[in-house]
Every structure is written in structure tokens, then in C-alpha cells.
Amino acid sequence: MATGRTHRPATRSRGIPEATVARLPLYLRALTALSERSVPTVSSEELATAAGVNSAKLRKDFSYLGSYGTRGVGYDVEYLVYQISRELGLTQDWPVVIVGIGNLGAALANYGGFASRGFRVAALIDADPAMAGKPVAGIAVQHTDELEKIIDDNGVSIGVIATPAGAAQQVCDRLVAAGITSILNFAPTVLSVPEGVDVRKVDLSIELQILAFHEQRKAGEEATPPERETAGTGEPGVATTPKPSAAASHRPAAGGPGGTGGHSGDGNRQGPDGDVPAVMPA
Amino acid sequence: MATGRTHRPATRSRGIPEATVARLPLYLRALTALSERSVPTVSSEELATAAGVNSAKLRKDFSYLGSYGTRGVGYDVEYLVYQISRELGLTQDWPVVIVGIGNLGAALANYGGFASRGFRVAALIDADPAMAGKPVAGIAVQHTDELEKIIDDNGVSIGVIATPAGAAQQVCDRLVAAGITSILNFAPTVLSVPEGVDVRKVDLSIELQILAFHEQRKAGEEATPPERETAGTGEPGVATTPKPSAAASHRPAAGGPGGTGGHSGDGNRQGPDGDVPAVMPA
DNA sequence: CAGTGTGAATTCTTTCACAGCG
DNA sequence: CGCTGTGAAAGAATTCACACTG
């Protein structure tokens, strides 16, 4: 819990686990919905279900924030909304700039979820001169030339990159040079940024590939029991590339299947529990 | 096929760790780029840098696939591209349907990253009759009424939901009933699906909130070096903890962030390493 | 030797299960 | 009594570090 926090235990002391931070927005959304329905309190069980996690995890997560619940009763919805918002830094206004107003950029600009969460689209920036001045989501698009000025004038610290992959790094560099310290990147590229700058990536293609992996596994399960390295089965574009000498395949066979028993309770949950990034660019 | 006793261990899809699966697309992208530049081989170090991870992790990941490298040399690019593609199930064609052709849906439809990765947009579906027939990204939008037929006719197993939150669950139910077993959800809602169906969520609002959390932390850290240490071991920095009874107390300026001047060693982490989802809908 | 492959050590997460408070 | 808050146990994921091989 929050109480026993020491003062800077030397290096790395994140306070709240990253995994927990990543779930707070989820709880917040569920709580907001309850709040709108004027529900006064929720139990960890109910809230967990609404957020798509299990109650033990939720309670543990909340325990990092402090003891905001009431034993035998549950959590006060309004109070918790406030506490989580504060923890996430949403009680303040965050101006955001979106660079790259293509299909995706426009979609983001039109997203209504910003304002309601403390975010404000301060500006839309695009490199195409033809876009300049055109209103998107009620905001006039500005040209890239103005980038530095816009960021400076508005004290923006969060930038969203929705440009094509090729322009991403360059835009990123300018954003960082202009003072941006947090970037949400939709371009399918690995951005390199100086220390101190946070980058989160959203990549559709990657998400689909992860789904494909599981999908493939399901299919093979119901039709073919043991999947072998079979090279045949005609490959689309990729041709068999028996390059490396030892083409001998190795079955994954990581640990021993023999299973060390283990097996946790029920399992079965709907959301992909702990994964990674996700979407793409225009 | 409906009665498939699909049992998913929640984690570790029988062989390859979930965390590794989530990174394979990253490696694949980096490898593809190398391939296009006709680079014959790469060392774990180089590839890791290109993918934004560290070499130890990369080697460990690859070890789950098998021994595809050559000691003292590195990995054969083409061969590895094939192996990873196969592992991810990208050597086959995956028809995909996108439901909800608003700003985001259109952006997704226009995304070029599909075809190059084994995905094919089989259909665009929207509930608005006015949209029916209109071409988006070269494909005529079809009405929701056709949903079941489309999925059945094309043998689609992966669906993308880009509808408003309110319609998501309903669309989801129909998709599942029609035979879809993998869903990529852009709507800010927790979808409930029967066992055996995979759901991945992409939520922009959540990503931004996570960034805000870190941003807030940075600000408090640099701006307040000698921050008044947490109330002498008593309460954390958390403002006063009133009582979860009345609530409804919204205070703009956050009191004092719960100290914990952690300061992480590497703030410039490229990929959100072990987090969660990411984007949003129209 | 350079660089992979991997057991072992370490760190982070999740889950269990239950004491204890309202 | 019901439900929170939490130590402790169990499980992943990441990192180390080094034997071993082409």
C-alpha cells in the first residue's frame, strides 16, 4: 500500500507497478459508466467484472493506490473515480497535438474520448500544404512548419504521430526537440528517442498477427493434433527457404509438457491478459 | 466445429510464451525491412536494435521457435522471415471483415499493412444504409444485414470492430454467432464472448492515459527536487484521505503526488514492454 | 573468436487464501 | 456476515552470463 513508501529507494522505484497503471484506465472507464448510472458503490467483484479482470487483481491494484474501500461494503464510485483520475494525472488538462491528418489522424481528431478524460486536442498538424487551414473535427489543420511554435505556445508535452512510417522518425525528432516528452506512435516504426521521452506504440498489423497466431493454433487443434514442421502445404509468397545448414527443425517443446501439475484454478478470461502493443498508421 | 473443446491456458499458448508471440511481429517487420535491403544475415544484436528490444530477449524468444541461427554468424534473414511467418500463421491467407466504417474503419480499410502480411479485407460492413454501396478503399461497403452471409461465404474467422461503443457488443455477438473466433476491438468497451473466442482490444484513450501518468510523474520529479517528503512516514503524498462517504469532491490541482520520486533508469523505452492494450473508435 | 543457445538468477505479475474491519 | 486489504505462494518474463559451436 501507499503508506510504507520509502523515500527514493535508490534506483528504480516506480511506486505503482506498470501492469497496474495499464489497468487503471480500464477501471476508470467502468467506474465512470457506473457513475453515470448514479450507482453509489461497487464491490471489487462487480467492478472487476465490468472492467474485464478478476477481483483479486483489482483489489491488489487498488491496494497500491491506498485503502479506498470500505470493508463489508465496497468502493464509493465517485470517490474512486476521483482518486484514480488523480493518480493518472487526469485532474489536469493535457494539451495534445496530432501530427499526420490522414484517415487515421482524422479519426483520432474526431474521437470524443479525449475531452472527457482530461485531454484536449491543441492542434492538428500535417505536412501537406493543401491540408493547411482545412477544418477537421472543428479544428483547422496547421502546417508542419508551425510545429515548434504550436508546441511551445500551448505547452504541449504529449504528441500523437499518425504519419506514414517514413515520416515518423523525423516528426518524432522535431517533436522531441520542441519539448514533447511523451509520444503515442501509430506509425509502424521503431522510434528512437532520447532518454526521458516515453513512447507508446499502437500497431494494428501487430495485433492482427497476434490474433492470427492464436487463430491458427485453434484451427490446428481441432483438425490436426500434433503440428509438425511440415514444409509443404504450399506457401503463399514466402517460399521455403532451406537456407541454413541444419534445416532440421526443432519442435518448440519448450519446458516439459509432462506438466508439473500446477494448473491454476479456473482460468478462462475474455481479454488477452498481459500482452503488448497494437495498431497502425495510414 | 462449434463444439470445439478449445481449452486456452490463458497464458502460454502451448509452447511459445505469450510475451514472445507478441514480439514476433516486431521481429518480422524488422526482418522484412532487412530483406528488402537484401541483407543476408543479422546478428541478434543488430536485429534486436532494429526491433527495439535487447538481444538477450530476442535470442530467448527465438529459442522457443527452434535453433534457426548460426553460431558465430547470426541469422539468415530470409529463412527467419519464413520461419516467423509460418509460426504466426501468416503463410496463409486470412480474410478479415471490418465492421463500422466511420473515420477509423475507413482508416483501417485503407491501411496497406494488411495484404503484405497475409491479411485480406474481405468486406466492409456498416449499419448505415446510406453507406451501403459506397466504395471505401476500393471496396463497396455492405450493410449489416449481410453480415452473417458475408462471413459464411468468405470463411472469415477474424473480425475488426470499429463501431461506436454502444453497438460493439451487439456486433460482437453477431460476429461470434456467425462463426468469427478472433476479434480486434476498437470500441472502448469490454466485450463478453464465449470461451474459445479471442478478443484483443485497442484503445487510444487508454494509451493516452498511461502516457499522462508517466508525464505527470516526470513533471513532479524535475520541478520539485526537494519535494516536501511525504508526510513523515505517515500518509503518502496522497492528499488527505477524507472519507469515502460523501465523495463528489473534485479538486483541480492535484495535491501532492504520492512522492515516490522513483526516476526510472531508462525512460526512453521504445516499446511499452509488458503492458496492455491500446486505441479507440470513432 | 564471434555470436548463438540456454540454464540459472532475478524481477515482475498474478493468484491464493484468510485475517480482520465495518 | 461480507468484503476489503494483503502477506505469501505460484507463475511468468526478463536478464545474466557462459559453455559451446561454426
Side-chain angles (χ1 to χ4, degrees):
Chain A
M1 30 130 80
T3 318
R5 194 95 63 243
T6 4
H7 349 269
R8 216 234 262 173
T11 349
R12 314 213 134 202
S13 160
R14 220 154 262 171
I16 300 176
E18 226 1 80
T20 293
V21 172
R23 280 188 296 267
L24 292 182
L26 235 53
Y27 301 144
L28 185 54
R29 175 174 296 156
L31 284 166
T32 301
L34 290 173
S35 174
E36 285 169 358
R37 286 199 286 129
S38 300
V39 176
T41 61
V42 252
S43 65
S44 60
E45 200 67 61
E46 300 170 310
L47 183 53
T49 299
V53 303
N54 70 47
S55 62
K57 195 184 289 181
L58 178 146
R59 287 204 301 281
K60 182 57 114 183
D61 283 341
F62 285 180
S63 79
Y64 291 117
L65 308 183
S67 297
Y68 298 145
T70 304
R71 294 172 192 244
V73 179
Y75 302 89
D76 178 275
V77 175
E78 294 302 321
Y79 185 64
L80 201 46
V81 163
Y82 171 65
Q83 290 300 341
I84 293 180
S85 295
R86 187 174 53 69
E87 195 64 57
L88 285 172
L90 305 180
T91 49
Q92 61 182 282
D93 184 68
W94 293 104
V96 172
V97 294
I98 297 176
V99 185
I101 313 304
N103 274 299
L104 180 64
L108 299 179
N110 279 297
Y111 179 44
F114 285 125
S116 61
R117 291 281 182 288
F119 299 101
R120 177 169 52 78
V121 179
L124 301 181
I125 303 174
D126 198 281
D128 181 358
M131 286 292 290
K134 274 180 57 179
V136 172
I139 302 175
V141 175
Q142 290 175 274
H143 190 269
T144 311
D145 291 344
E146 315 289 327
L147 194 149
E148 288 75 12
K149 185 177 190 311
I150 295 170
I151 292 175
D152 198 54
D153 289 355
N154 297 280
V156 182
S157 56
I158 299 177
V160 177
I161 296 179
T163 67
Q169 183 62 59
Q170 186 179 47
V171 166
C172 173
D173 291 343
R174 287 183 65 179
L175 287 175
V176 172
I180 290 288
T181 44
S182 285
I183 295 174
L184 181 51
N185 179 34
F186 283 84
T189 320
V190 174
L191 296 177
S192 59
V193 295
E195 184 156 319
V197 175
D198 267 309
V199 175
R200 288 192 70 83
K201 174 170 36 91
V202 175
D203 192 314
L204 166 64
S205 159
I206 285 180
E207 291 301 313
L208 278 181
Q209 288 173 55
I210 295 174
L211 280 179
F213 172 84
H214 293 298
E215 194 58 41
Q216 174 188 46
R217 190 137 302 209
K218 287 179 204 163
E221 205 167 283
E222 73 182 46
T224 328
E227 194 250 296
R228 226 353 185 106
E229 222 271 286
T230 319
T233 320
E235 299 76 50
V238 195
T240 323
T241 314
K243 200 61 186 308
S245 49
S249 60
H250 274 40
R251 277 275 287 110
T260 315
H263 168 283
S264 49
D266 62 342
N268 167 32
R269 88 175 346 65
Q270 82 129 20
D273 263 9
D275 295 31
V276 198
V279 181
M280 56 112 315
Chain B
M1 51 131 71
T3 332
R5 254 199 83 213
T6 332
H7 207 92
R8 198 187 48 174
T11 353
R12 191 122 179 185
S13 301
R14 172 48 173 157
I16 303 176
E18 208 29 60
T20 292
V21 171
R23 279 188 296 268
L24 292 181
L26 235 51
Y27 302 142
L28 185 55
R29 176 175 294 157
L31 284 165
T32 300
L34 291 172
S35 174
E36 285 169 358
R37 287 198 285 128
S38 300
V39 176
T41 61
V42 254
S43 65
S44 61
E45 198 68 60
E46 301 170 310
L47 183 53
T49 300
V53 305
N54 69 46
S55 63
K57 195 184 289 181
L58 178 147
R59 287 203 302 282
K60 182 59 113 183
D61 283 342
F62 285 0
S63 80
Y64 291 117
L65 306 184
S67 298
Y68 297 145
T70 304
R71 296 175 191 242
V73 179
Y75 302 89
D76 178 274
V77 176
E78 294 303 322
Y79 186 64
L80 202 45
V81 163
Y82 170 65
Q83 290 301 341
I84 294 180
S85 294
R86 186 175 53 70
E87 196 63 57
L88 285 172
L90 305 180
T91 51
Q92 63 181 282
D93 184 67
W94 292 104
V96 172
V97 294
I98 299 175
V99 185
I101 313 302
N103 274 297
L104 180 63
L108 299 178
N110 279 297
Y111 179 44
F114 284 125
S116 61
R117 293 279 185 287
F119 298 101
R120 176 169 54 80
V121 179
L124 301 181
I125 303 173
D126 198 281
D128 181 359
M131 286 291 290
K134 275 182 58 179
V136 171
I139 301 174
V141 176
Q142 290 175 273
H143 190 269
T144 312
D145 290 344
E146 316 289 329
L147 194 149
E148 287 75 11
K149 184 176 191 311
I150 295 171
I151 291 176
D152 198 54
D153 288 356
N154 297 280
V156 181
S157 56
I158 299 177
V160 177
I161 296 179
T163 67
Q169 182 62 59
Q170 187 179 45
V171 167
C172 173
D173 292 343
R174 287 184 63 179
L175 288 175
V176 172
I180 291 287
T181 44
S182 286
I183 295 174
L184 181 50
N185 178 34
F186 284 84
T189 320
V190 174
L191 296 177
S192 58
V193 297
E195 185 157 320
V197 175
D198 267 309
V199 175
R200 289 193 68 83
K201 172 169 39 86
V202 175
D203 192 315
L204 166 64
S205 158
I206 284 180
E207 290 301 312
L208 278 181
Q209 287 173 56
I210 295 174
L211 280 179
F213 172 84
H214 293 299
E215 194 58 41
Q216 173 187 47
R217 190 136 301 204
K218 287 180 204 162
E221 209 167 283
E222 70 179 48
T224 321
E227 195 204 314
R228 178 168 85 308
E229 197 29 81
T230 43
T233 319
E235 286 303 290
V238 183
T240 0
T241 307
K243 247 304 171 60
S245 49
S249 59
H250 260 46
R251 194 117 13 65
T260 313
H263 168 282
S264 58
D266 58 356
N268 68 328
R269 233 326 181 230
Q270 179 53 205
D273 266 7
D275 297 32
V276 195
V279 184
M280 60 106 318

